[in-house]
mmCIF file of all heavy atoms in Angstrom:
data_model
loop_
_atom_site.group_PDB
_atom_site.id
_atom_site.type_symbol
_atom_site.label_atom_id
_atom_site.label_comp_id
_atom_site.label_asym_id
_atom_site.label_seq_id
_atom_site.Cartn_x
_atom_site.Cartn_y
_atom_site.Cartn_z
ATOM 1 N N TYR B 100 -117.676 -57.835 25.173
ATOM 2 C CA TYR B 100 -116.758 -57.642 23.945
ATOM 3 C C TYR B 100 -117.424 -57.887 22.614
ATOM 4 O O TYR B 100 -117.133 -57.393 21.540
ATOM 5 C CB TYR B 100 -115.554 -58.497 24.052
ATOM 6 C CG TYR B 100 -115.687 -59.904 23.605
ATOM 7 C CD1 TYR B 100 -115.328 -60.225 22.223
ATOM 8 C CD2 TYR B 100 -116.195 -60.927 24.345
ATOM 9 C CE1 TYR B 100 -115.451 -61.518 21.801
ATOM 10 C CE2 TYR B 100 -116.298 -62.187 23.902
ATOM 11 C CZ TYR B 100 -115.913 -62.551 22.545
ATOM 12 O OH TYR B 100 -116.115 -63.781 22.141
ATOM 13 N N ARG B 101 -118.600 -58.592 22.687
ATOM 14 C CA ARG B 101 -119.457 -58.820 21.489
ATOM 15 C C ARG B 101 -120.626 -57.794 21.416
ATOM 16 O O ARG B 101 -121.030 -57.662 20.286
ATOM 17 C CB ARG B 101 -119.974 -60.240 21.479
ATOM 18 C CG ARG B 101 -118.820 -61.369 21.334
ATOM 19 C CD ARG B 101 -119.384 -62.745 21.369
ATOM 20 N NE ARG B 101 -120.058 -63.104 20.069
ATOM 21 C CZ ARG B 101 -121.298 -63.399 19.857
ATOM 22 N NH1 ARG B 101 -122.086 -63.510 21.032
ATOM 23 N NH2 ARG B 101 -121.769 -63.706 18.709
ATOM 24 N N ARG B 113 -111.912 -68.609 29.786
ATOM 25 C CA ARG B 113 -110.868 -69.081 28.821
ATOM 26 C C ARG B 113 -110.114 -67.906 28.261
ATOM 27 O O ARG B 113 -108.881 -67.935 28.231
ATOM 28 C CB ARG B 113 -111.572 -69.924 27.677
ATOM 29 C CG ARG B 113 -110.554 -70.582 26.802
ATOM 30 C CD ARG B 113 -111.110 -71.710 25.924
ATOM 31 N NE ARG B 113 -110.280 -72.232 24.977
ATOM 32 C CZ ARG B 113 -110.411 -73.231 24.230
ATOM 33 N NH1 ARG B 113 -111.651 -73.785 24.278
ATOM 34 N NH2 ARG B 113 -109.630 -73.760 23.465
ATOM 35 N N ARG B 116 -112.272 -62.259 28.711
ATOM 36 C CA ARG B 116 -112.912 -61.063 28.172
ATOM 37 C C ARG B 116 -114.333 -61.052 28.777
ATOM 38 O O ARG B 116 -114.959 -62.108 29.232
ATOM 39 C CB ARG B 116 -113.108 -61.146 26.549
ATOM 40 C CG ARG B 116 -111.738 -60.908 26.015
ATOM 41 C CD ARG B 116 -111.857 -60.915 24.497
ATOM 42 N NE ARG B 116 -112.274 -62.300 23.976
ATOM 43 C CZ ARG B 116 -112.251 -62.617 22.693
ATOM 44 N NH1 ARG B 116 -111.983 -61.714 21.716
ATOM 45 N NH2 ARG B 116 -112.549 -63.779 22.299
ATOM 46 N N CYS B 122 -124.200 -64.116 25.722
ATOM 47 C CA CYS B 122 -122.961 -64.685 25.262
ATOM 48 C C CYS B 122 -122.441 -65.882 26.133
ATOM 49 O O CYS B 122 -121.472 -66.507 25.778
ATOM 50 C CB CYS B 122 -121.890 -63.673 24.966
ATOM 51 S SG CYS B 122 -122.349 -62.394 23.831
ATOM 52 N N ARG B 124 -121.978 -69.241 28.094
ATOM 53 C CA ARG B 124 -122.143 -70.696 27.958
ATOM 54 C C ARG B 124 -121.604 -71.480 29.150
ATOM 55 O O ARG B 124 -120.449 -71.160 29.497
ATOM 56 C CB ARG B 124 -121.542 -71.142 26.623
ATOM 57 C CG ARG B 124 -121.980 -70.492 25.320
ATOM 58 C CD ARG B 124 -123.488 -70.896 25.052
ATOM 59 N NE ARG B 124 -123.869 -70.299 23.759
ATOM 60 C CZ ARG B 124 -124.507 -69.124 23.710
ATOM 61 N NH1 ARG B 124 -124.574 -68.245 24.768
ATOM 62 N NH2 ARG B 124 -124.866 -68.590 22.500
ATOM 63 N N GLN B 131 -117.991 -69.593 29.609
ATOM 64 C CA GLN B 131 -117.076 -69.314 28.438
ATOM 65 C C GLN B 131 -118.010 -68.509 27.459
ATOM 66 O O GLN B 131 -119.226 -68.634 27.405
ATOM 67 C CB GLN B 131 -116.608 -70.625 27.830
ATOM 68 C CG GLN B 131 -115.618 -71.267 28.688
ATOM 69 C CD GLN B 131 -115.006 -72.464 27.935
ATOM 70 O OE1 GLN B 131 -115.144 -72.725 26.772
ATOM 71 N NE2 GLN B 131 -114.193 -73.223 28.748
ATOM 72 N N CYS B 132 -117.290 -67.813 26.588
ATOM 73 C CA CYS B 132 -117.988 -67.096 25.511
ATOM 74 C C CYS B 132 -118.161 -68.001 24.310
ATOM 75 O O CYS B 132 -117.700 -69.140 24.277
ATOM 76 C CB CYS B 132 -117.125 -65.869 25.153
ATOM 77 S SG CYS B 132 -115.561 -66.362 24.313
ATOM 78 N N VAL B 133 -119.020 -67.486 23.387
ATOM 79 C CA VAL B 133 -119.356 -68.236 22.203
ATOM 80 C C VAL B 133 -118.144 -68.604 21.347
ATOM 81 O O VAL B 133 -118.000 -69.791 20.922
ATOM 82 C CB VAL B 133 -120.465 -67.465 21.341
ATOM 83 C CG1 VAL B 133 -120.714 -68.193 20.037
ATOM 84 C CG2 VAL B 133 -121.687 -67.177 22.170
ATOM 85 N N GLY B 134 -117.239 -67.709 21.186
ATOM 86 C CA GLY B 134 -116.070 -67.928 20.379
ATOM 87 C C GLY B 134 -115.229 -68.997 21.024
ATOM 88 O O GLY B 134 -114.715 -70.001 20.263
ATOM 89 N N CYS B 135 -115.063 -69.032 22.251
ATOM 90 C CA CYS B 135 -114.242 -70.079 22.936
ATOM 91 C C CYS B 135 -114.835 -71.479 22.916
ATOM 92 O O CYS B 135 -114.164 -72.396 22.815
ATOM 93 C CB CYS B 135 -113.825 -69.649 24.417
ATOM 94 S SG CYS B 135 -112.760 -68.312 24.496
ATOM 95 N N VAL B 136 -116.186 -71.469 23.036
ATOM 96 C CA VAL B 136 -116.803 -72.634 22.974
ATOM 97 C C VAL B 136 -116.673 -73.342 21.553
ATOM 98 O O VAL B 136 -116.379 -74.472 21.395
ATOM 99 C CB VAL B 136 -118.392 -72.445 23.288
ATOM 100 C CG1 VAL B 136 -119.211 -73.803 22.945
ATOM 101 C CG2 VAL B 136 -118.588 -72.202 24.689
ATOM 102 N N LYS B 137 -116.808 -72.578 20.475
ATOM 103 C CA LYS B 137 -116.678 -72.957 19.140
ATOM 104 C C LYS B 137 -115.195 -73.499 18.832
ATOM 105 O O LYS B 137 -114.969 -74.507 18.198
ATOM 106 C CB LYS B 137 -116.951 -71.925 18.065
ATOM 107 C CG LYS B 137 -118.475 -71.643 18.043
ATOM 108 C CD LYS B 137 -118.776 -70.552 17.038
ATOM 109 C CE LYS B 137 -120.245 -70.250 16.887
ATOM 110 N NZ LYS B 137 -120.525 -69.246 15.870
ATOM 111 N N GLU B 138 -114.270 -72.780 19.440
ATOM 112 C CA GLU B 138 -112.897 -73.124 19.266
ATOM 113 C C GLU B 138 -112.519 -74.438 19.958
ATOM 114 O O GLU B 138 -111.789 -75.270 19.441
ATOM 115 C CB GLU B 138 -111.984 -71.991 19.859
ATOM 116 C CG GLU B 138 -110.464 -72.272 19.716
ATOM 117 C CD GLU B 138 -109.989 -72.398 18.320
ATOM 118 O OE1 GLU B 138 -110.649 -71.791 17.361
ATOM 119 O OE2 GLU B 138 -108.989 -73.157 18.097
ATOM 120 N N GLY B 139 -113.176 -74.553 21.127
ATOM 121 C CA GLY B 139 -113.031 -75.860 21.965
ATOM 122 C C GLY B 139 -113.582 -76.988 21.272
ATOM 123 O O GLY B 139 -113.024 -78.064 21.192
ATOM 124 N N ALA B 140 -114.692 -76.876 20.595
ATOM 125 C CA ALA B 140 -115.426 -77.993 19.891
ATOM 126 C C ALA B 140 -114.580 -78.416 18.743
ATOM 127 O O ALA B 140 -114.551 -79.577 18.436
ATOM 128 C CB ALA B 140 -116.784 -77.502 19.337
ATOM 129 N N ARG B 141 -113.740 -77.561 18.066
ATOM 130 C CA ARG B 141 -112.956 -77.898 17.006
ATOM 131 C C ARG B 141 -111.771 -78.761 17.410
ATOM 132 O O ARG B 141 -111.336 -79.511 16.649
ATOM 133 C CB ARG B 141 -112.384 -76.699 16.312
ATOM 134 C CG ARG B 141 -113.460 -75.914 15.225
ATOM 135 C CD ARG B 141 -112.764 -75.017 14.295
ATOM 136 N NE ARG B 141 -112.327 -73.809 15.124
ATOM 137 C CZ ARG B 141 -112.903 -72.735 15.198
ATOM 138 N NH1 ARG B 141 -114.056 -72.526 14.676
ATOM 139 N NH2 ARG B 141 -112.282 -71.692 15.841
#
Side-chain angles (χ1 to χ4, degrees):
Y100 83 95
R101 297 180 72 238
R113 187 166 180 173
R116 291 179 290 186
C122 295
R124 299 294 183 269
Q131 291 185 6
C132 65
V133 175
C135 287
V136 169
K137 290 182 178 179
E138 180 63 28
R141 283 196 291 266

